Amino acid sequence: MPATVFVLNGPTLNMLGTREPEVYGRDTLADIEARLTARATPLGLAIDMRQSNHEGVLVDWVQEAGRSAAAGIILNPGAYGHSSIALHDVLKAVTVPCIEVHLSNVHAREEFRHRSYISPVARGIVIGFGAQGYELALDGLARLVGAGAKT
Ligand code: DQA
């Protein structure tokens, strides 16, 4: 059974593709999932892609990743990254490494996007590469956990 990477997406990321395409691009979450899956398979990893508009659901999923000893979490927390102490706390409570992803360069945007409650508890951060950021996060995570490494 391949080890699983949870790819968790926060509020309004279900609207990727049509949501402010000049900021977030035209790829949908389904497009991103397809590319991630194609990249994960040869690494011996499986992708479990999810999206919720609800903070508590995202907290539940991080706990589930911890319980199931997932290989890692790739998290685009959306706006909750700027506000959620609950997500900060749950990421501290699990030992699964988390890579934080933002499609846009949040530091080049409004001041309220400059703070992240996720960054201090993330193992790595990928910001500003658009949809490609998810693939960069997967590559980094795979190297980190030794997935696909020859023995
Ligand atoms: C985002 C950036 C956040 O500031 C915003 O609230 C989002 C998307 C990004 O991927 O660039 O929902 O996380």
Side-chain angles (χ1 to χ4, degrees):
M1 263 253 294
T4 301
V5 175
F6 281 48
V7 184
L8 306 181
N9 296 278
T12 315
L13 290 166
N14 54 316
M15 293 183 68
L16 275 188
T18 56
R19 173 193 184 191
E20 298 183 83
E22 66 288 356
V23 178
Y24 299 115
R26 296 213 175 266
D27 287 327
T28 64
L29 270 191
D31 295 332
I32 293 169
E33 180 179 11
R35 285 202 299 268
L36 278 180
T37 302
R39 216 176 180 89
T41 307
L43 294 168
L45 295 169
I47 296 297
D48 189 337
M49 183 90 161
R50 305 181 188 188
Q51 187 279 330
S52 177
N53 295 325
H54 304 277
E55 186 177 9
V57 173
L58 293 163
V59 170
D60 286 343
W61 287 344
V62 172
Q63 290 185 12
E64 185 184 332
R67 273 196 309 277
S68 63
I73 298 169
I74 294 172
L75 172 64
N76 184 345
Y80 287 141
H82 313 304
S83 67
S84 179
I85 297 169
L87 279 173
H88 174 101
D89 280 352
V90 75
L91 286 165
K92 272 174 97 167
V94 299
T95 54
V96 179
C98 172
I99 311 296
E100 177 185 9
V101 171
H102 296 281
L103 296 129
S104 63
N105 179 358
V106 284
H107 297 290
R109 300 179 64 196
E110 303 94 321
E111 185 92 33
F112 63 82
R113 296 185 203 277
H114 297 181
R115 158 175 282 199
S116 168
Y117 283 91
I118 309 304
S119 299
V121 289
R123 184 66 173 73
I125 305 167
V126 181
I127 290 176
F129 288 92
Q132 189 199 185
Y134 288 81
E135 292 164 70
L136 298 174
L138 179 65
D139 289 351
L141 185 64
R143 290 278 287 270
L144 211 64
V145 302
K150 298 208 168 44
T151 49

